[in-house]
Amino acid sequence: MITAAPVIVESYYFLDAKAKIALLDWVLRGGLSVIDVPVTAYGEIAQTIEKYADHDIDFTDAAVVWLANTYQKQQVLTVDKADYSVFRLKNNQWFQLLEWYQSV
Protein backbone atom coordinates (compact mmCIF):
# COMPACT_ATOMS: atom_id res chain seq x y z
CA MET A 1 0.00 0.00 0.00
CA ILE A 2 1.10 3.53 -0.71
CA THR A 3 -0.14 6.86 0.53
CA ALA A 4 0.69 10.52 0.22
CA ALA A 5 2.53 12.10 3.16
CA PRO A 6 -0.35 14.51 3.96
CA VAL A 7 -2.52 11.48 4.81
CA ILE A 8 -0.25 10.69 7.75
CA VAL A 9 -0.55 14.26 9.00
CA GLU A 10 -4.33 14.31 8.63
CA SER A 11 -4.64 10.93 10.34
CA TYR A 12 -3.01 12.37 13.43
CA TYR A 13 -6.05 14.56 13.99
CA PHE A 14 -8.13 11.44 14.70
CA LEU A 15 -5.63 9.40 16.74
CA ASP A 16 -4.55 9.40 20.36
CA ALA A 17 -0.84 9.37 21.25
CA LYS A 18 -0.59 5.57 21.42
CA ALA A 19 -2.21 5.17 17.99
CA LYS A 20 0.03 7.89 16.51
CA ILE A 21 3.11 5.99 17.64
CA ALA A 22 1.66 2.71 16.35
CA LEU A 23 1.03 4.29 12.94
CA LEU A 24 4.62 5.51 12.70
CA ASP A 25 5.95 2.12 13.83
CA TRP A 26 3.81 0.38 11.20
CA VAL A 27 5.16 2.67 8.48
CA LEU A 28 8.73 2.14 9.70
CA ARG A 29 8.23 -1.64 9.56
CA GLY A 30 7.21 -1.35 5.90
CA GLY A 31 3.46 -1.69 6.36
CA LEU A 32 2.86 1.39 4.24
CA SER A 33 4.95 3.31 1.73
CA VAL A 34 4.67 7.07 2.13
CA ILE A 35 5.23 9.26 -0.92
CA ASP A 36 6.16 12.91 -0.53
CA VAL A 37 4.19 15.31 -2.70
CA PRO A 38 6.66 17.32 -4.80
CA VAL A 39 6.07 21.00 -5.42
CA THR A 40 5.87 20.17 -9.12
CA ALA A 41 2.58 18.33 -8.36
CA TYR A 42 0.94 21.41 -6.82
CA GLY A 43 -0.46 22.59 -10.17
CA GLU A 44 -2.27 19.30 -10.72
CA ILE A 45 -3.43 19.28 -7.10
CA ALA A 46 -4.78 22.82 -7.51
CA GLN A 47 -6.70 21.72 -10.62
CA THR A 48 -8.25 18.86 -8.65
CA ILE A 49 -9.21 21.21 -5.82
CA GLU A 50 -10.82 23.56 -8.33
CA LYS A 51 -12.64 20.70 -10.09
CA TYR A 52 -14.14 19.41 -6.84
CA ALA A 53 -14.55 22.73 -5.02
CA ASP A 54 -18.25 22.00 -4.50
CA HIS A 55 -17.19 19.00 -2.36
CA ASP A 56 -14.86 21.12 -0.21
CA ILE A 57 -11.91 18.91 -1.19
CA ASP A 58 -8.80 19.51 0.89
CA PHE A 59 -5.12 19.26 0.02
CA THR A 60 -4.86 15.73 1.41
CA ASP A 61 -7.69 14.35 -0.73
CA ALA A 62 -6.35 16.12 -3.82
CA ALA A 63 -2.90 14.68 -3.07
CA VAL A 64 -4.40 11.17 -2.96
CA VAL A 65 -6.02 11.78 -6.35
CA TRP A 66 -2.64 12.99 -7.65
CA LEU A 67 -0.91 9.91 -6.21
CA ALA A 68 -3.47 7.55 -7.75
CA ASN A 69 -3.03 9.20 -11.14
CA THR A 70 0.76 9.25 -10.89
CA TYR A 71 1.10 5.61 -9.82
CA GLN A 72 -1.88 4.43 -11.88
CA LYS A 73 -3.76 3.09 -8.87
CA GLN A 74 -7.53 2.83 -8.82
CA GLN A 75 -8.13 1.30 -5.40
CA VAL A 76 -8.40 3.53 -2.36
CA LEU A 77 -8.83 2.70 1.31
CA THR A 78 -10.82 5.52 2.86
CA VAL A 79 -13.50 6.33 5.39
CA ASP A 80 -14.61 9.19 3.11
CA LYS A 81 -16.78 7.15 0.78
CA ALA A 82 -19.03 10.08 -0.13
CA ASP A 83 -16.25 12.12 -1.72
CA TYR A 84 -14.26 9.24 -3.19
CA SER A 85 -17.45 8.03 -4.86
CA VAL A 86 -17.43 11.34 -6.76
CA PHE A 87 -13.70 11.81 -7.47
CA ARG A 88 -12.49 10.49 -10.81
CA LEU A 89 -9.09 9.58 -12.16
CA LYS A 90 -7.49 11.14 -15.24
CA ASN A 91 -8.73 8.28 -17.40
CA ASN A 92 -12.26 9.12 -16.22
CA GLN A 93 -12.49 5.93 -14.15
CA TRP A 94 -13.99 5.77 -10.68
CA PHE A 95 -11.99 4.85 -7.63
CA GLN A 96 -12.51 1.33 -6.35
CA LEU A 97 -13.39 1.79 -2.69
CA LEU A 98 -11.90 -0.84 -0.42
CA GLU A 99 -13.65 -1.89 2.78
CA TRP A 100 -11.44 -1.36 5.80
CA TYR A 101 -13.95 -2.23 8.48
CA GLN A 102 -17.13 -4.22 8.67
CA SER A 103 -19.21 -4.73 11.79
CA VAL A 104 -19.82 -8.27 12.86
Side-chain angles (χ1 to χ4, degrees):
M1 288 190 346
I2 62 173
T3 195
V7 172
I8 300 298
V9 176
E10 190 170 289
S11 297
Y12 265 50
Y13 177 78
F14 301 100
L15 302 174
D16 64 18
K18 185 176 179 179
K20 290 173 184 176
I21 293 166
L23 174 59
L24 291 179
D25 287 344
W26 181 57
V27 171
L28 285 169
R29 289 192 318 270
L32 181 66
S33 295
V34 180
I35 308 298
D36 286 324
V37 179
V39 172
T40 56
Y42 285 13
E44 187 176 333
I45 289 171
Q47 289 174 348
T48 301
I49 291 170
E50 183 176 26
K51 180 177 180 178
Y52 296 107
D54 59 329
H55 289 275
D56 196 28
I57 185 173
D58 62 16
F59 183 88
T60 301
D61 289 334
V64 169
V65 173
W66 165 80
L67 184 72
N69 282 318
T70 301
Y71 288 84
Q72 299 178 351
K73 302 293 182 184
Q74 195 172 353
Q75 296 180 322
V76 65
L77 181 65
T78 182
V79 296
D80 190 359
K81 289 183 179 184
D83 284 340
Y84 281 90
S85 294
V86 173
F87 301 157
R88 309 247 352 240
L89 300 167
K90 279 184 181 177
N91 58 11
N92 214 28
Q93 290 186 356
W94 299 102
F95 277 95
Q96 294 174 0
L97 304 178
L98 300 175
E99 293 291 329
W100 68 278
Y101 172 79
Q102 293 181 355
S103 60
V104 181

